[in-house]
Amino acid sequence: MTAATHSTLFPQVPDSPDAVLEGLDPEQREVATALHGPVCVLAGAGTGKTRAITHRIAYGVRAGILQPASVLAVTFTARAAGEMRGRLRQLGAAGVQARTFHSAALRQLQYFWPKAVGGSMPRIVDRKVQLVADAAAACRIRLDRNELRDVTAEIEWSKVTQTVPGDYALAAAKAGREAPRDPAEIAQLYTVYEDLKRDRAVIDFEDVLLLTVAVLQDRQDIAEQVRSQYQHFVVDEYQDVSPLQQRLLELWLGDRDSLCVVGDASQTIYSFTGATPDHLLDFRTRHPGATVVKLVRDYRSTPQVVRLANGLLAQARGRAADHRLELISQRDSGPEPVYTEYADEPTEAEGAARRIRDLLDAGVPAAEIAVLFRTNSQSETYEQALADAGIPYQLRGAERFFDRPEVRKASVALRGAARFGANDSLLDDVVDLPSQVRAVLSGEGWTSEPPAGSGAVRERWESLAALVHLAQDFAAAKPGATLADLVAELDERANAQHAPTVQGVTLASLHSAKGLEWDAVFLVGVAEGMMPISYAKTDEQVEEERRLLYVGVTRARRHLHVSWALTRAPGGRPNRRPSRFLDGLRPGTAGAEGRAAAGGGAGGVERGFTSRRETAPRRTQRTPARCRVCGRTLIDAGEMKLMRCETCPSDMNEGLYERLRDWRAEQARRSGQPDFCVFTDRTLMAIAEAEPCSPHELARIPGLLKRKLDRYGADVLAICAGQEIGESESED
């Protein structure tokens, strides 16, 4: 299991602001250098959004434009915030605050409570469900365990949408929510729940945001103090903000516009919690001066996986679909997605286990394989199948790595060995760092071979094995590192929640897989009634289910297996059918009507206006780009660069193309950047087809920016003229 963008495990800190920008593609670089005014980044899955925004912050800090302590970056999970802090540390931008909305709000609330309210801040309730159960008992309403959970979710939704108990019934009906009980009963439970909290002097998780908003609204002096501290804001996963979080963000900002938001409306999958993509889609309306950058180069998935992902969204409907981003894979070709139908669910799980065993035997690491399902209740069948096949696995959503008891104990043991190792007999016969770590952890239960079976013993071993692997990587990256150096690295990672990879196949729900990626992904149970889920009744709910499947597809880098079962149990009536979302996409189904790419398809930048007071000029109609061979209107960015359809014959000068590729490779080697940072393959093809003879003809090729022409134009024209580029001529 890895984060959404690859990076070297222990990279060197860039030695200058410009070095921070190296390796970014043109659109990512636009994000990184757009440091003034409102900025909206529309980032498709796998396009390196975290890379772009962390490099943006780091570039601003390293260039002296942003002060680290004045930047607040907010996201939605502690894991994502920890990853962001780790990346910023690696880029030399330590000191930037990267937190969840709740963490940032709690920190402010704790600091200002004595001044704003007085006394000690109330305790945050540990188990909200228990409080809801007490409210139900007080109302003499019987709730089973599932109803307790559902009513708790309704109360949470009400609070993040700023709905008071008296307005719940109307608000729920307006939002199309199916209440688990009579709306009047839920409103009554909500009222008593709030009374019990007040009587017991406790607050809940949502109150942290509500109370922070109240303090900032009521106390102008406190609001100004917060705004003087934080001058620049970055919000990740902006499509998932709730109305309450948006209100808090507005209070943090005040009348300023130093804000960068990042999101993808096609990955909105948490509307049941109050999340809405409207804030992302309306950003340009609220901020007419905004710079909008679209990231569509997919570095994660093969063209085959990307084709399926684009196909899913091509059939989508609704506002989010109108703003979809059509991804363009940057990876080499891979295997086609595999579609498999099984008789029943146990057989489907056994089939997945067999295919996973084949991947393991082919050299794919277990940690790079995931099984993703729609509901957590599907997990048990796959746990059993993997255990029966002797395949290690881990359940996503378990305790955070550095909070696990065995990891805490192991860290204490390693710290003690680093301090008193000279007197430790375990270390007498070992010299290198990985051997020292293995020796110390052998006293904590680590063995060279994993224990048989599954369960708690196996999970503890996997945690210790992850530390052993981390020590091996650390020693390889930093020769000569000591045990004390490793302990310091573990401490920093624990503070940032930057956990090492656990070696096991990941079992996870589609919702919890958001933000992660694997080499191989098994999407299981993709049948009607499960995908879309049976209780998705409205068009909006069905479209969110489609987006959920899209998120699942885009978790895969190379191998993608999609399966479904005709019945739940062996011998059952085979009355299920594959998900409607696969119609027209999997082999053997009739082609579904596509959807024109509205507002998506190509990356790029839209500049805002210099002042918020300026009125947006009327957008002028552009002449559509047409294929120079067949005359068809071009939509795809790559085809527009070539000015012809992908399928139309090319008149490219093959010899010129090869000379340009050789020259590009040398330029990339000299600058220490990937080849595409000089020119993409499409650009070289366009040059080899056009064979420009003058700077004017070269500048007419779509996508050639002025800085590229200034830097490389003379070389390119010389190559086109058949001249040899000398050593001195190609120096930067």
Side-chain angles (χ1 to χ4, degrees):
M1 181 178 63
T2 68
T5 306
H6 279 301
S7 63
T8 306
L9 190 59
F10 298 102
Q12 296 297 314
V13 174
D15 58 7
S16 69
D18 286 343
V20 173
L21 301 178
E22 291 179 0
L24 300 181
D25 69 29
E27 292 79 31
Q28 291 172 345
R29 187 174 288 239
E30 289 285 353
V31 174
T33 55
L35 294 170
H36 300 287
V39 177
C40 178
V41 183
L42 302 176
T47 57
K49 69 178 177 66
T50 306
R51 177 180 175 82
I53 59 176
T54 51
H55 281 68
R56 179 182 188 271
I57 295 170
Y59 177 71
V61 169
R62 299 291 296 278
I65 299 170
L66 304 176
Q67 296 302 311
S70 72
V71 180
L72 178 59
V74 289
T75 186
F76 283 81
T77 66
R79 182 199 59 79
E83 182 194 349
M84 195 177 291
R85 287 193 295 271
R87 292 199 190 198
L88 290 169
R89 177 167 66 92
Q90 292 167 355
L91 291 169
V96 172
Q97 292 293 311
R99 297 180 174 275
T100 64
F101 269 101
H102 282 86
S103 172
L106 178 60
R107 197 163 181 248
Q108 293 174 18
L109 193 62
Q110 289 171 330
Y111 182 82
F112 289 111
W113 187 275
K115 180 178 180 180
V117 182
S120 300
M121 197 182 97
R123 178 178 63 85
I124 299 176
V125 67
D126 294 326
R127 294 191 68 244
K128 192 183 303 177
V129 169
Q130 184 57 55
L131 207 56
V132 174
D134 293 345
C139 297
R140 298 186 178 181
I141 296 175
R142 293 180 60 85
L143 299 176
D144 61 29
R145 195 169 78 175
N146 291 333
E147 287 177 322
L148 268 176
R149 182 196 62 203
D150 292 342
V151 169
T152 301
E154 288 303 294
I155 292 174
E156 291 172 349
W157 173 82
S158 299
K159 299 185 79 163
V160 300
T161 56
Q162 298 174 285
T163 301
V164 297
D167 295 339
Y168 168 77
L170 183 61
K174 187 176 180 181
R177 294 182 73 85
E178 288 193 16
R181 301 278 297 205
D182 181 89
E185 283 187 335
I186 294 179
Q188 181 187 5
L189 289 167
Y190 183 9
T191 301
V192 175
Y193 170 83
E194 291 295 312
D195 291 341
L196 285 175
K197 281 199 297 135
R198 190 161 43 251
D199 294 343
R200 299 177 185 182
V202 296
I203 60 176
D204 62 25
F205 203 50
E206 289 69 40
D207 288 331
V208 172
L209 298 183
L210 284 164
L211 291 169
T212 306
V213 165
V215 168
L216 296 177
Q217 284 181 158
D218 296 343
R219 292 291 298 267
Q220 186 66 24
D221 57 330
I222 293 177
E224 291 302 325
Q225 191 173 341
V226 171
R227 291 166 192 159
S228 67
Q229 168 70 49
Y230 296 116
Q231 306 291 326
H232 192 88
F233 296 86
V234 177
V235 184
D236 192 14
E237 303 288 4
Y238 193 56
Q239 77 278 354
D240 289 332
V241 295
S242 68
L244 180 57
Q245 289 163 334
Q246 176 65 21
R247 179 59 185 145
L248 178 59
L249 178 62
E250 291 167 354
L251 289 167
W252 281 339
L253 273 170
D255 59 359
R256 302 166 298 174
D257 61 3
S258 187
L259 171 66
C260 174
V261 301
V262 189
D264 178 9
S266 296
Q267 296 188 66
T268 305
I269 58 173
Y270 298 111
S271 67
F272 60 90
T273 67
T276 170
D278 290 344
H279 305 300
L280 175 67
L281 299 178
D282 294 336
F283 190 83
R284 194 67 179 272
T285 303
R286 294 196 314 277
H287 301 278
T291 296
V292 179
V293 184
K294 294 180 180 179
L295 304 182
V296 297
R297 302 174 197 252
D298 187 332
Y299 298 98
R300 176 188 300 162
S301 304
T302 62
Q304 288 76 11
V305 174
V306 167
R307 189 181 304 121
L308 175 57
N310 286 338
L312 279 171
L313 291 188
Q315 302 178 33
R317 300 292 183 268
R319 192 177 182 212
D322 290 339
H323 293 79
R324 72 186 180 90
L325 298 166
E326 189 168 353
L327 301 177
I328 303 171
S329 175
Q330 306 297 299
R331 292 195 55 178
D332 293 336
S333 185
E336 290 290 339
V338 176
Y339 302 87
T340 310
E341 182 175 280
Y342 292 95
D344 51 65
E345 289 183 6
T347 305
E348 183 182 7
E350 291 166 6
R354 282 195 303 273
R355 290 181 182 271
I356 290 171
R357 173 56 66 192
D358 291 342
L359 289 172
L360 294 174
D361 293 342
V364 179
E368 291 295 349
I369 303 173
V371 178
L372 306 182
F373 32 74
R374 177 60 181 84
T375 67
N376 287 319
S377 62
Q378 295 169 271
S379 170
E380 185 179 359
T381 303
Y382 291 89
E383 290 182 59
Q384 186 64 54
L386 292 177
D388 290 345
I391 298 172
Y393 67 87
Q394 59 171 330
L395 284 170
R396 174 71 187 157
E399 197 172 21
R400 292 194 295 189
F401 183 83
F402 287 104
D403 291 338
R404 297 176 186 174
E406 65 270 18
V407 175
R408 287 178 177 274
K409 285 185 63 181
S411 298
V412 170
L414 290 170
R415 186 172 290 105
R419 188 175 302 170
F420 308 111
N423 300 319
D424 192 335
S425 60
L426 279 173
L427 304 182
D428 286 347
D429 300 322
V430 293
V431 288
D432 65 323
L433 178 59
S435 297
Q436 290 175 333
V437 171
R438 287 193 290 269
V440 173
L441 296 187
S442 65
E444 301 299 320
W446 180 82
T447 56
S448 58
E449 294 295 327
S454 58
V457 173
R458 179 57 182 255
E459 289 176 5
R460 284 195 293 272
W461 183 90
E462 294 286 358
S463 297
L464 298 177
L467 292 174
V468 170
H469 289 298
L470 180 65
Q472 292 168 346
D473 292 334
F474 188 70
K478 297 181 182 288
T482 66
L483 196 54
D485 294 330
L486 177 65
V487 168
E489 175 67 23
L490 290 176
D491 287 341
E492 289 192 19
R493 283 172 167 255
N495 290 334
Q497 284 300 327
H498 183 188
T501 300
V502 174
Q503 297 300 315
V505 173
T506 299
L507 296 178
S509 70
L510 286 164
H511 282 99
S512 66
K514 179 78 161 51
L516 303 173
E517 63 178 67
W518 297 268
D519 280 347
V521 168
F522 289 76
L523 296 176
V524 298
V526 188
E528 285 291 308
M530 194 61 74
M531 180 60 67
I533 199 77
S534 58
Y535 53 75
K537 303 295 186 185
T538 67
D539 290 343
E540 292 83 0
Q541 290 168 340
V542 170
E543 287 306 316
E544 181 152 338
E545 292 288 300
R546 186 194 306 275
R547 294 194 296 270
L548 188 57
L549 183 58
Y550 170 80
V551 166
V553 167
T554 54
R555 300 311 94 194
R557 296 195 199 104
R558 181 173 176 82
H559 303 279
L560 180 62
H561 297 257
V562 184
S563 64
W564 58 92
L566 297 178
T567 186
R568 186 181 67 82
R573 184 178 177 184
N575 56 2
R576 291 181 180 173
R577 62 174 295 268
S579 169
R580 71 191 78 169
F581 299 147
L582 300 179
D583 291 347
L585 300 175
R586 63 186 177 90
T589 58
E593 289 186 11
R595 184 176 177 83
V605 185
E606 298 174 26
R607 302 290 180 192
F609 314 109
T610 56
S611 168
R612 298 176 96 185
R613 299 182 183 87
E614 291 185 46
T615 304
R618 185 172 298 171
R619 184 172 293 178
T620 56
Q621 285 293 108
R622 287 185 178 180
T623 303
R626 298 190 181 278
C627 174
R628 56 188 166 83
V629 179
C630 70
R632 183 179 70 85
T633 300
L634 302 176
I635 296 176
D636 179 77
E639 293 182 341
M640 291 172 71
K641 183 179 285 289
L642 296 173
M643 292 305 294
R644 65 172 174 82
C645 301
E646 187 77 43
T647 54
C648 284
S650 168
D651 53 0
M652 182 177 71
N653 183 327
E654 297 282 355
L656 174 57
Y657 178 68
E658 290 305 319
R659 292 197 301 275
L660 287 169
R661 282 176 60 90
D662 292 343
W663 165 84
R664 179 183 66 175
E666 177 62 19
Q667 290 295 320
R669 185 190 66 78
R670 290 174 180 276
S671 62
Q673 296 181 341
D675 287 359
F676 70 77
C677 288
V678 180
F679 284 128
T680 65
D681 286 346
R682 289 293 181 109
T683 299
L684 295 187
M685 290 175 65
I687 294 171
E689 290 185 356
E691 297 187 67
C693 299
S694 67
H696 177 69
E697 291 181 2
L698 181 61
R700 291 176 60 187
I701 295 175
L704 280 181
L705 302 178
K706 183 178 183 301
R707 68 173 185 273
K708 290 290 185 77
L709 291 171
D710 292 344
R711 186 172 184 181
Y712 302 122
D715 277 10
V716 170
L717 288 172
I719 295 170
C720 290
Q723 300 173 14
E724 291 293 327
I725 302 298
E727 185 79 12
S728 61
E729 290 177 313
S730 59
E731 288 285 351
D732 290 338

